[in-house]
Amino acid sequence: MNEEKETKKEQVLEIKNLHVHYLIESGTVKAVNGIDLSIGEGESLGLVGETGAGKTTTCMAVMQLIPDPPGVIVDGEILFKGENMIYNTEKRNEEIRGNGISMIFQDPMTALNPIMTVGEQLMEVVTTHENVSKKEAREKVIETLKMVGIKSDRFDDYPHQFSGGQKQRVVISMALLCNPSLLIADEPTTALDVTIQAQVLELIQKLQKTFHTSLLLISHDLGVVAETCDNVAIMYAGEIVEAGTVREVFLNTKHPYTKGLFESIPKMNDDSETLIPIEGQPPNPADLPTGCCFHPRCKYKTKQCETEKPPVRHQGHMYRCHLEG
Amino acid sequence: MSTLLEVKNLNKYFKVASGELHAVDNVSFAIEEGETLGIVGESGCGKSTLGRAILRLHEPTAGRILFEGMDVASFDEEDMRQMRQHMQIIFQDPYASLNPRMTISQSIEEPLIAFKIYKTEAERRKRVEELMELVGLSARVYNSYPHEFDGGRRQRVVIARALAVNPKFIVCDEPVSALDVSVQAQILNLMMELQKKLKLTYIFISHDLSVVRHISDHVGVMYLGKLVELAPKKEIFNRPLHPYTNALLAAIPSINLEQEKKKLILQGEISSPINPPPGCRFAVRCPFATDCCTASDPEFVEVFPGHFVACPRCIEVQGKKFVYE
């Protein structure tokens, strides 16, 4: 068993017991149900899960951008450098967004304003958050664009004149303009081709190292997380079912769901005929199963799993299951 | 085994304002009965256009499509319509390919009515129930609507519909790309089971190399409308010859932490398919390109038995690292 690190780095982001519900006409959608996460300075955390697992809701909660109504943060704390964002004024959170925390969205095609030039959009970010002259802002934008590999002569081009990969580079440069301490990337490469994905992931890693930015990377792709992150958290039905360092979780997998995910992926170095899928479908967050949320699909379930919430166990890393080891 | 489908020098050009878009350019290959040919490539490489052109959903500009020895490219409209009983297609998005106002049984029944396969409603109903069982849908969802289903079960409906007319050959255009990994594995297993049971022949189009590796017997790699490499599965993954295939393989994020990371990141982006200049389409991004690559179109030659490559320098540069100056 690994001992917990004695010297804890300063946590940039700490999420404690976060619950987010959406109250809709037909009932309550329990999107996030009591998750705990923390990211230290310069660290990267990959949040993995399938559609509807609550990954995006978690980031939106961190950004304090949950649409309300219908979304409500029912319980929990979101501490950004020790400051609880839930109790902050909207004005203070606006300052943090952009300066302290930035976000990259999945679809670079919709993240940019089609009727503004790329340069104008980036300048707007700088002038909103920093007290600088137009000339200084322009210089800063050109310098940041250069860093992500876009030439300065594209400053006056419109988003439609860029390819998907280039647009994502523009979005990344926009997120980095104000030197945030935390970068949240929600499926940043899902809309891109593999060779472009490799370029963009390399860029994110390089920039993260240069600026010592912490990274929260949301992905459904375990491969992307393995190549980009230090730590990983596996999410299912709004709960973290397993978390730890990438090495620990990938090589010493404990939770049946995580095991199932690994078995479902066709591997490049394995010639086995059939994949072992996880039977059934992810649960409906408006109607979660009793006991362990994963029990209807679990190969190892017992009577206990159907009624009781599983305990949190620590064996090298954290996981949530009735089964031991 | 005999050859079921042979495609010879197939071209599909689209007329656009600025000239001719070469979506599929001089593509030739053959598929044996009961086998799967995987087609991989990035967005815009022409893989979907190829799949559609084979079924003449896009009218080919030139070339021959021999299905069981008959040139379907020369068939008139009615003959082609009859021929489609034997040639079916499954699309990527199961949300868009089902009529939301038809129950799933009506959707599956539709091709039976169109081809007047059964005389009575009772016979059709029996066949629909049979098909639903075949793809793993329970009889109680007979009168359900698509919106009640998740992506995985919708894709099962689409597969049942394609199988209704007893086709020999199915073009599968990214059939699992919209699905979560756990569900993706279920559908891949189903497709492989059905192939064995019904002796189906597939063209499996995907951007995901690990999925293609899992399901295919032969693999073709496309780049900007050209087939650049075609080989048995083992060959292409163990001995990739074309520099583009090498780059594509290296770009896949791997979950294998023990494996040494090959840093082989392709620079630049895919060039325009409109009025392409002569020569290798990949030359502008290829670190090994010389004058001979841009002088004329590289020939598609058999370098090893069954292993075709369109690269004049592939043997010379084998195993060499990508170095950009």
Side-chain angles (χ1 to χ4, degrees):
Chain A
M1 240 203 264
N2 285 352
E3 290 289 314
E4 283 226 352
K5 272 185 201 155
E6 294 266 323
T7 48
K8 259 196 172 174
K9 276 191 224 162
E10 198 210 335
Q11 300 300 321
V12 171
L13 177 73
E14 265 188 286
I15 300 177
K16 289 180 186 165
N17 193 32
L18 179 70
H19 290 258
V20 185
H21 293 177
Y22 294 101
L23 310 174
I24 54 170
E25 236 169 78
S26 53
T28 307
V29 176
K30 294 177 178 169
V32 174
N33 305 307
I35 66 165
D36 298 283
L37 282 178
S38 64
I39 306 175
E41 201 190 315
E43 277 182 359
S44 52
L45 172 74
L47 190 58
V48 179
E50 296 180 281
T51 318
K55 311 182 295 275
T56 301
T57 298
T58 306
C59 323
M60 290 312 226
V62 172
M63 295 288 282
Q64 288 294 303
L65 288 174
I66 296 275
D68 175 17
V72 186
I73 296 180
V74 186
D75 195 6
E77 290 172 46
I78 297 167
L79 303 170
F80 175 68
K81 294 185 167 170
E83 199 176 323
N84 193 338
M85 294 192 57
I86 297 174
Y87 299 133
N88 271 349
T89 58
E90 181 51 29
K91 193 161 171 277
R92 174 72 190 128
N93 280 339
E94 240 165 55
E95 277 168 28
I96 293 176
R97 286 195 290 265
N99 266 331
I101 310 176
S102 275
M103 187 154 173
I104 303 171
F105 296 92
Q106 170 169 355
D107 189 355
M109 327 295 161
T110 52
L112 295 169
N113 186 337
I115 58 165
M116 273 169 92
T117 67
V118 158
E120 281 169 357
Q121 296 185 46
L122 291 168
M123 294 250 303
E124 194 181 63
V125 177
V126 185
T127 49
T128 309
H129 288 285
E130 282 170 32
N131 196 6
V132 289
S133 71
K134 267 202 159 171
K135 195 168 161 261
E136 285 168 309
R138 191 185 163 96
E139 271 164 22
K140 185 159 190 188
V141 166
I142 288 178
E143 193 191 323
T144 318
L145 279 176
K146 218 185 273 169
M147 240 161 20
V148 298
I150 289 183
K151 292 195 185 109
S152 55
D153 59 359
R154 315 261 349 230
F155 190 88
D156 294 317
D157 283 349
Y158 287 90
H160 75 266
Q161 293 168 289
F162 291 83
S163 70
Q166 284 172 327
K167 267 186 238 177
Q168 197 61 300
R169 284 167 193 270
V170 171
V171 173
I172 291 172
S173 74
M174 187 182 273
L176 291 171
L177 270 172
C178 295
N179 300 326
S181 330
L182 175 66
L183 180 64
I184 301 178
D186 187 359
E187 306 260 12
T189 57
T190 309
L192 307 175
D193 281 317
V194 272
T195 60
I196 307 299
Q197 165 172 288
Q199 293 172 1
V200 170
L201 288 178
E202 198 205 14
L203 176 70
I204 291 179
Q205 272 175 297
K206 199 181 88 195
L207 295 171
Q208 199 209 338
K209 283 211 184 86
T210 324
F211 298 107
H212 224 65
T213 315
S214 306
L215 174 71
L216 175 60
L217 179 87
I218 315 292
S219 184
H220 67 281
D221 188 333
L222 287 160
V224 168
V225 169
E227 297 210 340
T228 320
C229 299
D230 308 317
N231 298 312
V232 60
I234 312 283
M235 214 169 166
Y236 187 80
E239 290 176 353
I240 306 274
V241 294
E242 184 156 12
T245 64
V246 167
R247 258 198 109 69
E248 261 292 326
V249 173
F250 278 52
L251 300 178
N252 192 15
T253 312
K254 296 286 185 199
H255 197 280
Y257 175 64
T258 320
K259 285 183 189 165
L261 277 185
F262 280 113
E263 284 167 353
S264 325
I265 309 172
K267 282 156 210 75
M268 291 304 285
N269 51 359
D270 178 16
D271 281 315
S272 56
E273 263 287 290
T274 47
L275 300 167
I276 310 165
I278 306 173
E279 293 305 327
Q281 277 83 33
N284 176 359
D287 182 21
L288 291 173
T290 53
C292 171
C293 286
F294 186 59
H295 87 258
R297 302 175 78 187
C298 185
K299 282 188 277 192
Y300 311 101
K301 69 156 178 251
T302 60
K303 269 260 144 57
Q304 198 184 17
C305 304
E306 287 167 29
T307 51
E308 280 173 49
K309 277 270 160 220
V312 176
R313 296 180 189 277
H314 290 274
Q315 265 186 31
H317 62 276
M318 165 271 172
Y319 68 104
R320 203 182 280 264
C321 185
H322 284 295
L323 286 173
E324 236 173 300
Chain B
M1 260 194 274
S2 59
T3 305
L4 182 81
L5 178 81
E6 206 177 344
V7 170
K8 285 185 174 170
N9 308 94
L10 190 72
N11 283 343
K12 175 65 200 173
Y13 297 165
F14 293 98
K15 285 215 164 57
V16 290
S18 49
E20 245 176 1
L21 189 151
H22 293 219
V24 173
D25 207 342
N26 205 8
V27 167
S28 305
F29 59 82
I31 314 175
E32 300 288 301
E33 210 176 323
E35 287 210 327
T36 301
L37 171 70
I39 300 281
V40 286
E42 299 180 275
S43 30
C45 74
K47 50 191 193 308
S48 292
T49 308
L50 174 66
R52 287 166 188 233
I54 291 169
L55 296 190
R56 287 183 56 199
L57 297 174
H58 286 317
E59 213 48 65
T61 311
R64 298 207 292 163
I65 302 160
L66 302 171
F67 186 79
E68 296 187 309
M70 292 173 287
D71 186 4
V72 297
S74 64
F75 277 21
D76 65 23
E77 213 169 295
E78 182 50 32
D79 285 346
M80 192 60 219
R81 206 181 83 85
Q82 289 304 325
M83 201 63 208
R84 291 214 183 94
Q85 259 192 64
H86 307 295
M87 309 166 87
Q88 285 287 311
I89 186 163
I90 298 170
F91 295 104
Q92 169 171 0
D93 188 353
Y95 294 85
S97 48
L98 290 171
N99 185 338
R101 303 181 64 169
M102 279 163 89
T103 65
I104 62 139
S105 54
Q106 283 170 335
S107 280
I108 299 172
E109 196 183 8
E110 186 89 341
L112 299 175
I113 299 170
F115 286 108
K116 301 190 179 69
I117 293 181
Y118 297 101
K119 285 201 182 70
T120 67
E121 220 182 301
E123 279 176 306
R124 281 204 302 269
R125 187 183 169 109
K126 204 176 140 244
R127 174 68 178 150
V128 171
E129 281 169 351
E130 214 177 271
L131 286 160
M132 284 174 63
E133 201 194 318
L134 192 67
V135 298
L137 289 169
S138 76
R140 77 187 151 80
V141 298
Y142 191 87
N143 289 317
S144 301
Y145 284 91
H147 76 263
E148 298 169 54
F149 282 10
D150 57 87
R153 280 194 291 173
R154 281 182 214 218
Q155 204 59 295
R156 286 177 196 267
V157 176
V158 174
I159 293 172
R161 183 177 61 184
L163 292 174
V165 289
N166 271 323
K168 293 178 185 149
F169 170 71
I170 302 178
V171 173
C172 316
D173 189 358
E174 305 258 16
V176 296
S177 307
L179 308 176
D180 277 318
V181 277
S182 69
V183 179
Q184 170 181 306
Q186 294 172 9
I187 299 296
L188 284 176
N189 281 350
L190 172 70
M191 292 183 66
M192 290 173 83
E193 253 172 60
L194 290 171
Q195 178 170 40
K196 265 190 207 144
K197 217 184 273 178
L198 308 171
K199 301 199 174 50
L200 296 168
T201 308
Y202 291 146
I203 283 189
F204 193 95
I205 298 165
S206 179
H207 68 281
D208 188 333
L209 282 146
S210 50
V211 169
V212 164
R213 183 181 190 275
H214 184 74
I215 201 166
S216 309
D217 299 296
H218 285 80
V219 177
V221 181
M222 281 186 82
Y223 189 79
L224 263 183
K226 293 271 190 192
L227 195 59
V228 295
E229 187 160 4
L230 174 69
K233 171 172 78 178
K234 279 234 167 80
E235 269 282 309
I236 212 151
F237 286 101
N238 296 339
R239 187 162 54 177
L241 290 175
H242 200 283
Y244 177 64
T245 313
N246 274 299
L248 207 54
L249 286 172
I252 310 168
S254 164
I255 55 163
N256 189 347
L257 299 172
E258 306 296 334
Q259 189 184 318
E260 206 188 319
K261 299 262 159 71
K262 277 180 285 174
K263 276 291 166 211
L264 196 153
I265 291 179
L266 203 56
Q267 290 189 0
E269 302 192 22
I270 203 159
S271 40
S272 164
I274 299 169
N275 299 333
C280 174
R281 302 278 165 84
F282 185 58
V284 283
R285 294 173 84 186
C286 182
F288 307 121
T290 60
D291 292 344
C292 77
C293 301
T294 45
S296 61
D297 281 9
E299 262 179 81
F300 198 52
V301 286
E302 191 167 5
V303 181
F304 297 108
H307 194 152
F308 296 83
V309 192
C311 175
R313 305 197 64 211
C314 66
I315 298 294
E316 225 180 302
V317 300
Q318 248 241 294
K320 281 198 188 153
K321 285 235 164 71
F322 273 42
V323 180
Y324 288 94
E325 271 151 30

